[in-house]
Amino acid sequence: MASMNIIGTSVKRTEDYRFLTGGGQYTDDVAPHHATYAVFVRSPHAHAKIKGIKTDKAAKARGVHAVYTGDDIAKAGINGLPCGWLITDVNGQPMKEPPYPVLAQGKVRHVGERVAVVIADTLHEARDAAELVEVDYEVLPAVVNGAEARKKGAPVLHEIAPDNTCYVWAIGDKAKVDDVFKSAAHTTKLEFVNNRLIPNAIEPRAAIGNYSRAEDAYTLHVASQNPHVERLLMTAFVMGLPEHKVHVIAPDVGGGFGSKIYLYGEDVVVTWASKQINRPVKWTADRVESFSSDAHGRDHVTTAELALDKDGKFLAMRVHTTANVGAYLSTFASCVPTILYATLLAGQYTTPVIYCEVTAVFTNTTPVDAYRGAGRPEATYVVERLVETAAREMKIDPAEIRRRNFIKEFPYQTPVALLYDTGNYNATLDAATKLGDVAGYAKRKEQSKARGKLRGIGYSCYIEACGIAPSSVAGSLGARAGLYEAGEVRVHPTGKVTVFTGSHSHGQGHETTFAQVVASRLGIPMDDVHIVHGDTSKILFGMGTYGSRSIAVGGTAIVKAVDKVIAKGKKIAAHLMEAAENDVEFSDGIFRVTGTDKQVPFGQVALTAYVPHNYPHDKLEPGLNENAFYDPSNFTFPAGSYVCEVEVDPDTGKTSIESFVAVDDFGKIINPMIVEGQVQGGLTQGIGQALMEGCRYDSASGQLLTGTLTDYCLPRAEDVPHFKIDTRETPCTHNPLGVKGCGEAGAIGAPAALMNAITDAIGVRDLAMPATAETVWRAIAMKKAA
Amino acid sequence: MPVKVSMTVNGKPVSAEVEERTLLVNFIREHLRLTGTHVGCDTAQCGACTIEMNGDAVKACNMLAMQAEGAKITTIEGIAAADGTLHPMQEAFREHHALQCGFCTPGMVISAIDLVRRHPNPSEEVVRAELDGNFCRCTGYHNIVKAILDAAPKVAAMR
Ligand code: FES
Ligand code: FES
């Protein structure tokens, strides 16, 4: 029999047929019988006291079933939304955790905050009635900028944080770092903003609560990246509902990028309200709502310094960051600018000492949480902009300065807590410089010059930490959840297999990749394997998908369950072949007795397990169904090198990306086609951050200025180049597949490469993202003037 | 005031009483329950709602159902052959991994077919420029562009 090993092959995706023919089932496509529609009344002010809410007109409007405000939620005993990670500050004190109400209680703290909900028979009726809700606001001064919010006299958002500070947290040896800086041959200092981004998954968030009196149970359809966590938070912390009576289904989900990880107030409201009115309650965000109510990303202001010796060896790094967390702490907001950021500041380098201090600040803006990369893009930006700038200042080739400082021996303990298990940074950088024909760059620059254009080249050698783990370490750092994953492999009597995974696919292609893994391991055709995700009543448990953890953690849980199936199968096969269990081996879907021609196929073993006539009943239960939980012993550490070449038109400031090369080391790759797709998508979001995306608030009023797709610039097809992508493979050492994860790399590595290229092209030291044509043009003009 | 609308959708005549302000996209999704046509924005920019109307790709969120009175409409559900065989453009999307979450995909496919109708032999530049009415947040467009370039001759040959 031919080998069924299809790991490493670009199998076409199983899920595509339904998506291509309109057969996807996204939350808004679900239409429960008798559904009602919810519309949220949202705050038009960034900061205001609610003096009163009049709902009577709305309540009497046509088709309206109910209007609820924060008072109703409070009366119902519903708690605020919890934060999943406790950060302990530099003084050993817990971070400030102000209540995050499901519907505003007495005060609103950002534009778009939920104030009331109107539920009616049709969406039109609910919208009309929402207009009739009268909220009496006393507008307060607002603050939207993190640094401003820390100043004396700034408007105070929460009583428990009179200085608007959530925490001041630090990592590393400050005294040692300060010492090194005093005597270093060269130091480089940069101050920059990591611009706030609005995720904009193309499917808006949506939720449908459906309470059944007959069963005294709830069903929640929701566009979520992790249905089990959503259920756990909602039942155990917010609503006090019995967990086993709440069924959460996250069907097809149209992209997430982090924004659909969190438990949102809308999900709680529709679930609760469906019992109050005894009808399903459906809510789908419109895009304008998404802009002000989906968790945002990034928003750091940083001062970063690098100390070097005379040969360009890195001696120390010192970083101070103010992280704007928005008006409330979203589900994982607190760990993003700390655990997922500062720990990555070693990058790919041997910098011996690093100190980083992070001040997290509340402002009158939408809460900020993990967005594709989550902390790691911010860290990479700091490291790679510093390194490139230092190289320019010291007149060392930017690739060469990196090579001089690469970590070459593994495992490597960084000074900021992480233990890199493996890597080969020269390999990716060598490949990227070849693929990008860096050797021919000087000539291309001349050609650009002849055309009146400014050409620049920029590198970015990023590292990321994926599959955040292990639970015990995360717990000691403040995580309030485990970080394992669950999987179940159900072999049916005919030898077909259904796999249940706690990971969630919202574009990543798990139905294909995971099936490749299982089919290869069991030696059966991929068509015989079906992957199920996103449903709490089918899947035993799950931590969901974020942090590029699906294959490394979720995939490994499945592998462990498959191995248990094989182990049990060997016992059954040994019985059938009258052999000792130890003499039975399994490969390519066949159990064999070593050294003989005795064999039974997998399908026969499966059938025997369910029709156990000839069966070792004294030793074994019938059936062939196994589950496994996998708690990794470490993060995985994908890394790569990006080289970007741009051409800037000095007259208009417009940047065109002439070449973008990405060479990533994701360890073993299951499906190269899917991995490339993830890189392309990530790069495009990174390019978006560098060139065009930037959330803006009016500093006086706190109004969201980029609140629609006409004001917030998402990358279009003509904004991105044809990418040149390749991979190198250094397998992860601590999971059986040798995989690392690939979902966020592009978004992590791309911004620094681009900004390094643009600053090189126009000859300035630094430039703010997004580097729009106007920003670049002004920088050129200022340089000329100077 | 409810009004009666009638049109042909995916080859079948349909009619219904709708509120005057009902958008065509809501008529298609809610009344006809053809949920392959998606809604991704409220400013007629994302293109997730793109359908074919009287031979042209249009954004169904940007017009009232009433305005489609008597029109001949094809939604994504009507693009593949009756036996389920994918249209060459759909097949090219699958072949080139031009979709991830699938949410933009129905609109992308219909826009892509329309693009090839207008530009039977498009260059990469033309494809990229012509896609300006369709956002995809997942793929980075790379593979969408590849798929369209690959499918173009096959789709053009169908006409
Ligand atoms: S929904 Fe029609 S363009 Fe976005
Ligand atoms: S595939 Fe997700 S938006 Fe295009």
Side-chain angles (χ1 to χ4, degrees):
Chain A
M1 190 177 170
S3 168
M4 283 290 172
N5 191 350
I6 45 173
I7 286 181
T9 58
S10 290
V11 177
K12 305 296 172 229
R13 297 203 320 171
T14 314
E15 43 275 82
D16 285 355
Y17 188 87
R18 74 172 183 277
F19 293 145
L20 282 163
T21 53
Q25 275 287 294
Y26 303 86
T27 299
D28 191 63
D29 301 341
V30 177
H33 186 58
H34 242 54
T36 62
Y37 294 82
V39 166
F40 286 85
V41 176
R42 294 179 184 274
S43 171
H45 304 294
H47 201 190
K49 263 194 200 127
I50 299 174
K51 298 205 303 194
I53 306 180
K54 284 202 199 124
T55 58
D56 42 328
K57 274 191 218 149
K60 279 187 232 133
R62 188 169 62 123
V64 171
H65 289 269
V67 183
Y68 300 115
T69 67
D71 284 349
D72 300 300
I73 295 291
K75 263 182 236 142
I78 295 173
N79 294 323
L81 304 173
C83 181
W85 202 298
L86 174 72
I87 293 295
T88 302
D89 77 5
V90 282
N91 299 315
Q93 296 301 307
M95 66 185 188
K96 302 281 169 45
E97 278 185 89
Y100 183 3
V102 164
L103 292 179
Q105 307 272 347
K107 206 176 170 194
V108 287
R109 295 179 177 85
H110 70 88
V111 168
E113 181 166 353
R114 297 169 296 270
V115 174
V117 64
V118 177
I119 300 165
D121 280 326
T122 71
L123 186 57
H124 284 147
E125 287 165 347
R127 277 201 185 129
D128 290 346
E131 300 278 321
L132 302 174
V133 174
E134 290 171 30
V135 188
D136 186 8
Y137 292 107
E138 178 189 327
V139 178
L140 302 170
V143 62
V144 297
N145 173 288
E148 295 293 320
R150 291 260 292 161
K151 287 191 182 147
K152 273 223 158 55
V156 175
L157 274 83
H158 302 281
E159 268 169 35
I160 67 159
D163 55 357
N164 291 322
T165 304
C166 178
Y167 55 74
V168 178
W169 174 93
I171 189 169
D173 190 331
K174 182 169 190 309
K176 248 195 215 160
V177 168
D178 288 348
D179 248 15
V180 176
F181 267 91
K182 274 181 211 142
S183 57
H186 184 90
T187 61
T188 295
K189 181 174 177 178
L190 281 171
E191 289 177 27
F192 31 53
V193 174
N194 203 288
N195 41 331
R196 180 185 279 240
L197 302 176
I198 306 181
N200 275 301
I202 302 298
E203 179 208 23
R205 281 192 299 121
I208 308 169
N210 193 352
Y211 173 75
S212 157
R213 247 185 215 171
E215 308 197 14
D216 188 24
Y218 299 81
T219 304
L220 172 67
H221 281 87
V222 60
S224 169
Q225 300 178 215
N226 53 357
H228 284 89
V229 176
E230 167 124 11
R231 178 175 70 166
L232 179 61
L233 294 175
M234 201 160 78
T235 56
F237 297 95
V238 180
M239 298 178 74
L241 298 176
E243 191 177 2
H244 62 302
K245 294 273 191 162
V246 179
H247 175 191
V248 177
I249 306 170
D252 288 326
V253 173
F257 317 114
S259 68
K260 293 172 182 165
I261 298 173
Y262 324 114
L263 174 62
Y264 286 95
E266 291 88 352
D267 311 351
V268 174
V269 170
V270 296
T271 304
W272 172 75
S274 71
K275 181 171 181 181
Q276 310 311 305
I277 67 166
N278 198 28
R279 291 268 297 271
V281 179
K282 180 171 185 172
W283 168 76
T284 302
D286 52 36
R287 181 59 53 187
V288 169
E289 272 185 295
S290 306
F291 270 99
S292 65
S293 72
D294 291 5
H296 292 177
R298 320 279 192 258
D299 204 340
H300 285 193
V301 178
T302 294
T303 304
E305 299 161 275
L306 183 65
L308 305 94
D309 74 7
K310 62 174 190 352
D311 302 319
K313 264 298 247 184
F314 308 158
L315 302 175
M317 186 182 288
R318 189 161 58 194
V319 178
H320 286 83
T321 292
T322 301
N324 184 345
V325 295
Y328 300 98
L329 279 178
S330 172
T331 314
F332 289 109
S334 51
C335 69
V336 175
T338 48
I339 311 295
L340 296 178
Y341 165 67
T343 56
L344 274 299
L345 288 170
Q348 301 187 354
Y349 313 111
T350 54
T351 317
V353 283
I354 296 172
Y355 175 74
C356 177
E357 193 176 292
V358 179
T359 306
V361 181
F362 296 112
T363 63
N364 295 111
T365 61
T366 298
V368 174
D369 208 321
Y371 164 66
R372 201 170 195 167
R376 292 152 294 171
E378 297 90 316
T380 298
Y381 196 70
V382 167
V383 175
E384 291 304 294
R385 287 286 296 116
L386 265 184
V387 165
E388 189 105 358
T389 307
R392 285 177 200 164
E393 286 171 351
M394 298 182 74
K395 307 215 169 0
I396 304 173
D397 176 79
E400 172 56 26
I401 202 170
R402 288 175 166 90
R403 285 201 174 89
R404 279 184 204 170
N405 288 282
F406 276 159
I407 297 163
K408 294 184 191 85
E409 274 160 39
F410 296 89
Y412 178 81
Q413 176 65 57
T414 73
V416 275
L418 296 180
L419 179 72
Y420 299 169
D421 64 330
T422 182
N424 185 351
Y425 308 138
N426 267 322
T428 44
L429 182 55
D430 288 346
T433 43
K434 271 201 202 95
L435 191 56
D437 182 28
V438 172
Y441 171 71
K443 197 162 152 219
R444 291 192 294 277
K445 190 170 169 82
E446 281 307 309
Q447 290 163 347
S448 295
K449 199 172 164 196
R451 286 198 304 273
K453 300 283 169 62
L454 306 169
R455 200 175 189 99
I457 187 166
Y459 295 81
S460 172
C461 297
Y462 76 92
I463 187 150
E464 68 163 320
C466 295
I468 178 169
S471 291
S472 54
V473 172
S476 72
L477 294 172
R480 289 164 167 163
L483 290 157
Y484 48 84
E485 196 46 89
E488 177 180 351
V489 174
R490 188 178 301 170
V491 183
H492 303 286
T494 55
K496 311 288 186 204
V497 177
T498 306
V499 177
F500 301 86
T501 174
S503 295
H504 188 277
S505 181
H506 30 283
Q508 297 88 339
H510 295 170
E511 287 168 51
T512 307
T513 303
F514 288 0
Q516 282 179 257
V517 169
V518 173
S520 298
R521 206 136 178 125
L522 287 178
I524 59 177
M526 206 177 123
D527 283 349
D528 289 0
V529 182
H530 179 61
I531 307 290
V532 176
H533 70 89
D535 187 323
T536 60
S537 74
K538 293 179 181 159
I539 297 140
L540 68 167
F541 200 71
M543 297 304 299
T545 285
Y546 45 83
S548 304
R549 69 194 300 274
S550 290
I551 192 66
V553 192
T556 303
I558 292 171
V559 165
K560 288 186 60 167
V562 168
D563 288 350
K564 288 184 190 176
V565 163
I566 294 170
K568 185 169 179 182
K570 278 186 183 169
K571 292 193 169 93
I572 300 169
H575 179 86
L576 289 176
M577 297 186 286
E578 295 174 346
E581 188 193 324
N582 283 343
D583 293 338
V584 176
E585 55 177 35
F586 179 74
S587 64
D588 296 334
I590 295 177
F591 295 93
R592 295 183 178 83
V593 180
T594 322
T596 74
D597 56 4
K598 280 194 195 169
Q599 60 177 57
V600 286
F602 179 73
Q604 190 183 335
V605 167
L607 187 64
T608 306
Y610 289 95
V611 188
H613 295 167
N614 175 17
Y615 199 80
H617 285 286
D618 51 336
K619 291 186 244 153
L620 221 52
E621 292 170 12
L624 199 50
N625 183 57
E626 299 285 351
N627 59 49
F629 284 73
Y630 172 66
D631 199 326
S633 60
N634 193 359
F635 285 88
T636 64
F637 296 99
S641 285
Y642 295 174
V643 183
C644 172
E645 262 182 58
V646 298
E647 210 176 59
V648 175
D649 182 334
D651 297 330
T652 63
K654 184 151 171 46
T655 298
S656 103
I657 303 172
E658 296 299 301
S659 154
F660 203 111
V661 171
V663 181
D664 297 281
D665 183 345
F666 297 131
K668 280 271 179 210
I669 287 174
I670 313 294
N671 186 318
M673 174 191 83
I674 288 178
V675 166
E676 275 185 31
Q678 289 295 306
V679 174
Q680 291 154 1
L683 290 175
T684 300
Q685 287 183 2
I687 290 170
Q689 168 164 31
L691 290 188
M692 56 198 73
E693 294 183 42
C695 169
R696 295 258 189 91
Y697 282 94
D698 180 68
S699 57
S701 66
Q703 288 299 324
L704 176 59
L705 300 176
T706 50
T708 71
L709 282 174
T710 49
D711 309 299
Y712 185 92
C713 189
L714 289 186
R716 291 181 160 85
E718 53 180 348
D719 297 319
V720 286
H722 188 89
F723 299 112
K724 293 178 206 145
I725 292 175
D726 200 358
T727 53
R728 289 292 175 272
E729 193 175 294
T730 318
C732 172
T733 59
H734 54 79
N735 65 48
L737 292 169
V739 291
K740 296 179 181 172
C742 66
E744 297 162 295
I748 291 171
L754 252 163
M755 297 308 291
N756 284 339
I758 298 173
T759 50
D760 179 48
I762 67 175
V764 299
R765 197 158 179 272
D766 195 23
L767 198 63
M769 294 193 287
T772 59
E774 183 188 341
T775 303
V776 174
W777 183 85
R778 281 182 191 283
I780 295 170
M782 290 232 317
K783 201 184 153 208
K784 265 193 209 146
Chain B
M1 269 281 287
V3 287
K4 190 170 175 220
V5 291
S6 307
M7 59 194 86
T8 305
V9 177
N10 300 334
K12 286 194 208 97
V14 295
S15 60
E17 294 250 313
V18 300
E19 261 195 76
E20 284 166 328
R21 56 178 158 173
T22 302
L23 296 173
L24 179 58
V25 70
N26 292 335
F27 176 72
I28 291 168
R29 287 180 54 78
E30 313 286 332
H31 292 261
L32 306 181
R33 295 294 307 145
L34 292 170
T35 56
T37 303
H38 296 152
V39 179
C41 73
D42 32 34
T43 47
Q45 276 171 310
C46 74
C49 63
T50 308
I51 56 160
E52 199 182 286
M53 185 168 113
N54 299 331
D56 289 321
V58 301
K59 290 180 172 174
C61 73
N62 205 22
M63 59 190 293
L64 298 169
M66 275 166 36
Q67 292 173 289
E69 178 65 29
K72 203 170 150 277
I73 284 174
T74 307
T75 68
I76 190 67
E77 288 88 347
I79 297 292
D83 68 355
T85 306
L86 295 178
H87 182 281
M89 187 60 78
Q90 291 170 313
E91 191 54 52
F93 268 57
R94 206 177 85 86
E95 184 65 30
H96 292 282
H97 186 34
L99 61 151
Q100 292 182 21
C101 78
F103 198 79
C104 71
T105 308
M108 275 293 176
V109 166
I110 291 184
S111 289
I113 293 171
D114 186 58
L115 188 163
V116 173
R117 184 181 58 78
R118 288 177 290 111
H119 306 273
N121 187 16
S123 65
E124 179 177 339
E125 289 65 41
V126 165
V127 171
R128 287 186 182 273
E130 287 284 325
L131 284 180
D132 69 345
N134 291 76
F135 282 127
C136 174
R137 194 60 160 159
C138 298
T139 63
Y141 306 100
H142 188 101
N143 289 340
I144 294 177
V145 173
K146 260 166 72 179
I148 296 173
L149 290 172
D150 183 34
K154 293 169 219 164
V155 175
M158 286 170 78
R159 307 251 163 192

